[in-house]
Amino acid sequence: HTLANGIDLDYFDPAGIYANPYTRRAPVAVFTGAMDYWPNVQGVIWFADEVLPALRRRRPDFEFFIVGLNPAPAVLSLAKRPGVTVTGRVPDVRPYLSHADVVVAPLRIARGVQNKVLEAMAMARPVVAPPDACQGIAAVPGTEVLVAATAAEFVSSVNAVLAGDEPA
């Protein structure tokens, strides 16, 4: 038997009104997920090491928020870097998704449907993710999701979103 994976579209309604959790108005990318799960840990470390520096060279005020429960020590250490915030557990991820300029899912290891991608898409946010994180999701690459496999592709896609050139 095959079971479809999905999320609650009423709960992740982009028309909802959510208080802005970001304290200043700067370009923001957000990642949401359990932060003690190795693929998530590896993904945010890779993004912070390989993508974030290039984004901050172009936009020094660019911020990367890592939102999720149980941040591993390696994730907590990322908060020492300029432009990185690690929230830990939050009562509701929807405000973080709703007010983010872009949602990133920089997973280096991704198997199965990624609910974090579905949640961001349901909230009508631009999503940048590698090909493996998009498998099993009926979304048109370049139109409904930006697919980026390399650091350079992530940088290019996030900059395109921030410039207003993201998919409709």
Side-chain angles (χ1 to χ4, degrees):
H1 299 284
T2 302
L3 298 176
N5 210 18
I7 51 124
D8 183 340
L9 294 176
D10 291 329
Y11 184 78
F12 289 98
D13 182 354
I17 305 299
Y18 308 101
N20 189 341
Y22 306 117
T23 56
R24 51 188 212 126
R25 187 59 220 148
V28 173
V30 68
F31 174 90
T32 61
M35 294 317 307
D36 57 353
Y37 179 57
W38 174 242
N40 291 347
V41 171
Q42 182 187 40
V44 298
I45 291 171
W46 177 83
F47 188 87
D49 287 346
E50 304 297 327
V51 180
L52 186 61
L55 292 170
R56 286 186 57 85
R57 275 193 296 278
R58 184 165 179 186
R59 293 178 169 83
D61 60 341
F62 184 84
E63 296 185 18
F64 177 41
F65 274 70
I66 302 166
V67 178
L69 62 113
N70 301 325
V75 173
L76 289 171
S77 72
L78 295 175
K80 296 174 186 168
R81 299 185 188 189
V84 178
T85 300
V86 178
T87 66
R89 181 182 193 86
V90 297
D92 190 349
V93 298
R94 294 174 300 173
Y96 291 89
L97 292 171
S98 177
H99 291 280
D101 295 292
V102 61
V103 177
V104 295
L107 302 171
R108 312 318 298 154
I109 301 168
R111 299 294 177 257
V113 175
Q114 297 297 313
N115 282 344
K116 63 181 61 53
V117 173
L118 294 176
E119 291 166 358
M121 291 175 69
M123 294 289 295
R125 303 313 311 141
V127 179
V128 181
D132 286 352
C134 297
Q135 287 185 350
I137 297 175
V140 178
T143 301
E144 298 168 326
V145 64
L146 295 170
V147 179
T150 67
E153 290 172 352
F154 261 87
V155 170
S156 177
S157 293
V158 169
N159 279 326
V161 168
L162 297 178
D165 299 331
E166 80 274 7

